[in-house]
Amino acid sequence: MSRKLVRPRQGRMLAGVCAGLAQRFGMSAGMVRLLFLLSLLLPGTQVIVYLILWILMPNEDRYLATGRH
């Protein structure tokens, strides 16, 4: 789990948030997407958290360009 939390260029569907979380925690992107979709059935702020992560998680290209790896 030493991989940084970034939105990858490969394997994205929308913003790459689920793909980035999957890479970071060693899961498949499909499983994270399924868990997110299932969580939408529950009351809560899932969409707001997704939007916040979209804003806060850097793109993989930008992260590598800054040399912070």
Side-chain angles (χ1 to χ4, degrees):
M1 281 196 337
S2 64
R3 193 165 164 96
K4 299 295 181 184
L5 187 59
V6 295
R7 293 184 293 126
R9 296 306 280 158
Q10 302 294 326
R12 286 182 166 192
M13 290 222 113
L14 286 175
V17 173
C18 290
L21 289 172
Q23 281 185 356
R24 171 65 174 91
F25 294 108
M27 300 173 68
S28 73
M31 179 61 72
V32 175
R33 289 178 186 122
L34 179 63
L35 290 173
F36 176 72
L37 289 175
L38 290 174
S39 76
L40 292 175
L41 299 174
L42 301 170
T45 59
Q46 297 87 330
V47 175
I48 294 172
V49 170
Y50 186 91
L51 293 174
I52 290 171
L53 286 174
W54 188 350
I55 293 168
L56 294 179
M57 286 173 64
N59 275 328
E60 187 175 41
D61 297 340
R62 180 177 288 164
Y63 182 79
L64 293 174
T66 60
R68 293 188 290 177
H69 52 281

